[in-house]
């Protein structure tokens, strides 16, 4: 007999707007959700339908709490999401992945623990996403793309084949990245940009063709 996976606990950041999106996807996917963790809502409070606050984010440091659940970092804040992942890992806990049933994921793609794929997201043949990546609504990640930990793809963005995104790269709403390019660690691609060259680590680019943002 195959054991069913441990139930999910969704860790919320701030007001929990992104967490609502994540919880709806989990519900539609038929995943078992034990509850949520929040620093802004009291324990026991209801959250988004039938879900309930189990306690604060300090529970992520509690090994016994982590023993029989999987934590999903349910925040759009990249820094907070990454820190949740680090804490859970350090405590030996498990991360839980949520894939919206209306996303399309190639059977040959690899999706790391703690990732979230939203409605309409497409992940193509041979793509590999590391832990805690986020592919937002109607974004597409084409064949053989490679993401390091914590990469975030905004709604409607389009990544052609063989694009590499290093850790914590952020691709804005509706941006397009041409094939074979590398987006460096922590780089930001602005909404609507068309990226035609590699983007160095830490750089923000905007426009068509994308150029470094000059302030
Ligand atoms: C690129 C970005 C990160 C810059 O943010 P910021 O550092 O706060 O920059 P500002 O808003 O202060 O804008 C600085 C300048 O860049 C321009 N600019 C900002 N974003 C731009 C974009 N996407 N494309 C073209 N120009 C842009 C602004 O008009 C401004 O120009 P100005 O000085 O001539 O008025 C941000 O605008 C962006 O595109 N974020 C992505 C949002 C997104 O995808 N959200 C979905 C989340 S799931």
């Amino acid at each position: 007999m195959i054991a069913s996976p441990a139930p999910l606990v969704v860790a919320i950041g701030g007001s929990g707007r992104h967490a609502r999106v994540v919880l709806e996807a989990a519900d539609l996917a038929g995943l078992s959700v034990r509850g949520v963790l929040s620093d802004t809502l009291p324990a026991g409070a209801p959250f988004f339908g039938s879900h309930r606050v189990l306690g604060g984010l300090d529970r992520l440091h509690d090994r016994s709490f982590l023993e029989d659940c999987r934590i999903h970092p349910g925040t759009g804040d990249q820094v907070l999401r990454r820190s949740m992942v680090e804490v859970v890992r350090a405590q030996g806990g498990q991360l839980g992945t949520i894939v919206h049933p209306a996303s399309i994921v190639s059977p040959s793609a690899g999706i790391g623990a703690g990732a979230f794929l939203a409605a309409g997201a497409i992940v193509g043949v041979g793509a590999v996403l590391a832990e805690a990546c986020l592919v937002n609504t109607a974004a597409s990640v084409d064949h053989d793309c490679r993401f390091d930990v914590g990469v975030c793809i905004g709604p409607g963005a389009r990544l052609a084949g063989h694009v590499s995104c290093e850790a914590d790269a952020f691709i804005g709403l509706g941006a397009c990245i041409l094939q074979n390019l590398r987006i460096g660690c922590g780089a930001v691609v602005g909404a609507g940009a068309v990226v035609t060259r590699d983007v160095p680590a830490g750089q923000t680019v905007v426009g068509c063709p994308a150029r470094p943002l000059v302030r």
Side-chain angles (χ1 to χ4, degrees):
M1 201 168 95
I2 300 170
S4 47
L8 286 166
V9 169
V10 174
I12 294 181
S15 64
R17 285 178 301 185
H18 177 74
R20 293 164 64 247
V21 177
V22 159
L23 282 165
E24 183 175 82
D27 291 342
L28 290 170
L31 300 175
S32 163
V33 178
R34 177 174 296 166
V36 305
L37 299 179
S38 167
D39 278 349
T40 56
L41 296 166
F47 183 79
F48 192 62
S50 60
H51 300 292
R52 196 172 55 84
V53 179
L54 303 172
L57 295 177
D58 56 340
R59 305 297 293 271
L60 298 178
H61 295 270
D62 177 350
R63 282 181 183 245
S64 61
F65 176 79
L66 295 176
E67 254 167 24
D68 56 356
C69 64
R70 293 173 300 141
I71 302 294
H72 182 83
T75 171
D77 176 331
Q78 270 184 296
V79 174
L80 180 56
R81 197 164 79 247
R82 190 62 186 276
S83 85
M84 289 172 173
V85 168
E86 300 300 333
V87 170
V88 172
R89 272 188 188 149
Q91 300 302 325
Q94 298 178 68
L95 294 169
T97 305
I98 299 177
V99 175
H100 195 291
S103 60
I104 300 174
V105 183
S106 163
S108 64
I111 309 294
F116 175 57
L117 306 190
I122 300 176
V123 179
V125 171
V128 178
L129 281 52
E131 280 183 336
C133 290
L134 197 166
V135 183
N136 229 314
T137 312
S140 73
V141 175
D142 223 302
H143 65 91
D144 302 303
C145 284
R146 290 278 184 282
F147 291 180
D148 291 341
V149 62
V151 168
C152 176
I153 309 297
R158 297 273 181 264
L159 277 64
H162 286 275
V163 170
S164 299
C165 293
E166 295 177 352
D168 302 320
F170 175 88
I171 313 298
L173 181 79
C176 293
I177 319 284
L178 303 197
Q179 68 280 1
N180 303 323
L181 296 180
R182 175 172 292 272
I183 310 299
C185 191
V188 173
V189 173
V194 176
V195 179
T196 58
R197 300 176 184 165
D198 290 351
V199 179
Q203 190 167 80
T204 297
V205 296
V206 296
C208 173
R211 295 286 181 258
L213 175 60
V214 180
R215 292 169 197 281

